[in-house]
Amino acid sequence: MSTSEQQQVWQKAVEKSIAKAPERKHSFRNSSDIELERCYTPSFEYPGYQDKLGFPGQFPFTRGVQPTMYRGRFWTMRQYAGFGNAKESNERYKYLLSAGQTGLSIAFDLPTQMGYDSDASMSRGEVGKVGVAIDSLADMEVLFDGIPLDKVSTSMTINSTASILLAMYIAVAEKQGVTPDLISGTIQNDILKEYMARGTYIYPPKESMRIITDIFAYCKDNVPKWNTISISGYHIREAGSSAVQEVAFTLADGIAYVEAAIKAGLDVDEFAPRLAFFFNAHNDLLEEVAKFRAARRMWGKIMRDRFKAKDPRSQMLRFHTQTAGCTLTAQQPDNNIMRVTLQALAAVLGGTQSLHTNSRDEALALPTEDSVRIALRTQQVIAYESGVADSIDPLAGSFLVESLTDKIEEQAMAYINKIDSLGGAVEAISRGFQQKEIQDSAYAYQRSIEKNETIIVGVNKFTIEEKAPEGLLKVKEEVELNQKATLAQMKAGRDAAKVAATLKALEGAARGTENLMPYILDAVKSYATLGEIANVMREVFGVHRETVVL
């Protein structure tokens, strides 16, 4: 297809998109009254334009996954939040929504992520610390009290217990009178990166992949608007990887999930349109923009050529971005506002579908309301005042950006080919390949800081004498005591026989081959706790032991 033919196809897609959702303005003009075109293309012969760039919303999606991108509507502004108990977090969510946030992003505490109730010995000292504590459906009812789940899109950063939290969300929606086909959002549900970079896994890879593909199958039929997985490069980058490694290891994990789903009997075009990705936005603005563009192009080719996906939605890499927590400094924390601004700008120039901006004080404690508001306002200023959202893929055609896009794709594909030669992502992780690559990259970066080859403003240059910070948000110890008391009260009031029956049924399904989601949902509705449900599967599936790489 020639460039002009591509442009005609794109123009028809634009007209269809505008008919469904008009652009934000009739005409986009800058301060000099110059009208900005929807999408700029070369006025000369550009070698490889059709194959490498194309038009927004068309294969290979280098320039974006929607025909009109942010001229239609902005990315979802989704601030990641959660701490203490469900009531405190509910108040924070309502505050963020009132401040202009357009989607929720739920942070869970470590016990919830690891499948332990708040009264478990393993939970001691961690309840409500890095996210909200959720022990049962009763907590989820409080967490979303007064928040209409048919109108708000919710992202949940949860992996090994994703099936349980999704079941709780479905049950809460039903209690609100909202049927599962009307709810929308995302569960992270990406266990492979937990094995290589983050560590909140429970079960061995084979059993974890079964749970994930069961979620794919269940949501295809029952929760069609739900993104069933957010394949995450974010934590890979936080662990110290390079931009190339982040793309390569994330897409390699995506390949593994697609293969597992196909092996489980699903057609690629039945589940692939609901796959989503989650990337980090780091400080090097141009490298990050190129990274996002390269990742989109690579995934389009992988899905079309490797998996023969026919539906264009199956070929689209839709992604959420979070600014880089690992770049935030405890020294001169106000400098973090500038870092986050650059990172957010990179995400927008790179075409993200939703964005979380970190707060200035997160290297010190959970963010205060003032800090969260500044982080959200950063997105809003970029959206409404910077002009970068008024034309699609505005850095396209830059010699530097196009060269970086090509080189990141080339180097990331070399990594994917290496992982394929090792037997795929799961086998490579079991050998410790990705872990060692990330560790080596993290070590090299830290050494460059210590040798002053890499400058971190306020850390190894431009330092000042600083006072101890004041007004930081701390989770009080009473949160754990109160959560345990609430849990005990809930257990005392539930139907113990019904709980036992649903857990027994779940055990039987786990030992067999049935889809686990209906059984998990039944257990959740009986007010079985997250820990009780996770323990049933621990008993059947066993637990994973980490591969140590030296």
Side-chain angles (χ1 to χ4, degrees), residues 109 151 173 199 262 277-278 301 321 326 361 386 460 519 532 534:
D109 70 358
K151 294 181 172 61
I262 292 172
F277 290 79
F278 175 23
K301 292 177 182 177
T321 310
C326 62
D361 46 7
S386 73
N460 60 354
Y519 295 93
E532 289 169 339

Side-chain angles (χ1 to χ4, degrees), residues 2 17 32 46 56-57 74 97 99 122 158 208 241 243 257 280 286 347 374 399 401 419 437-438 451 506 509 550:
S2 68
S17 179
S32 302
Y46 189 106
F74 293 123
L97 290 169
M122 287 291 288
I158 198 72
S208 292
S241 81
Y257 292 126
N280 201 306
L286 297 177
I374 292 170
F399 298 132
V401 169
I419 290 168
E437 290 292 311
I438 294 168
K451 293 161 67 177
L506 173 60
L550 299 176

Side-chain angles (χ1 to χ4, degrees), residues 380-407:
Q380 292 164 339
V381 168
I382 291 172
Y384 291 95
E385 299 185 30
S386 73
V388 298
D390 291 348
S391 188
I392 303 168
D393 191 25
L395 294 186
S398 157
F399 298 132
L400 172 59
V401 169
E402 297 300 352
S403 176
L404 276 174
T405 302
D406 291 347
K407 287 179 180 177

Side-chain angles (χ1 to χ4, degrees), residues 5 20 69 90 136 148 174 255 259 261 359 381 394 414 421 488 510 545:
E5 289 172 329
K20 184 178 179 182
M69 287 299 287
N90 174 265
S136 73
E174 289 178 348
I255 290 168
E259 288 175 341
S359 298
V381 168
S421 74
R545 301 299 179 194

